Amino acid sequence: MIPRRFFWLLDGLVCVLAFAAAYSLLPALQTFIVSTGVLQHPWVQALSPTVGSRLPLVRLLWVLGAMTPTTIL
């Protein structure tokens, strides 16, 4: 039988990798959405006023800190 802690560690690792991938793909995704005009709604532009920029990693770590224990639980 595989220990539970191994699965907890694996879930945490997947959360960290998904967060890192999403953070690194954010500028490219913003540029793609703006250039193709897929979401030309005022509320979308209000959420992302500058294309190609992103918040500092430190300001977004709370998302990782909230989602990892939730996923493991």
Side-chain angles (χ1 to χ4, degrees):
M1 177 177 221
I2 301 173
R4 286 186 197 176
R5 290 184 182 161
F6 174 75
F7 288 116
W8 294 344
L9 180 65
L10 189 61
D11 286 343
L13 180 63
V14 167
C15 283
V16 169
L17 290 175
F19 180 81
Y23 186 75
S24 66
L25 290 175
L26 182 63
L29 184 60
Q30 285 177 334
T31 305
F32 172 74
I33 288 173
V34 169
S35 68
T36 59
V38 175
L39 297 173
Q40 290 297 328
H41 299 289
W43 64 271
V44 175
Q45 293 172 354
L47 291 176
S48 180
T50 57
V51 177
S53 65
R54 56 181 159 193
L55 292 173
L57 183 63
V58 176
R59 290 189 60 195
L60 295 174
L61 282 177
W62 70 269
V63 176
L64 180 62
M67 290 309 301
T68 301
T70 305
T71 301
I72 291 172
L73 185 63

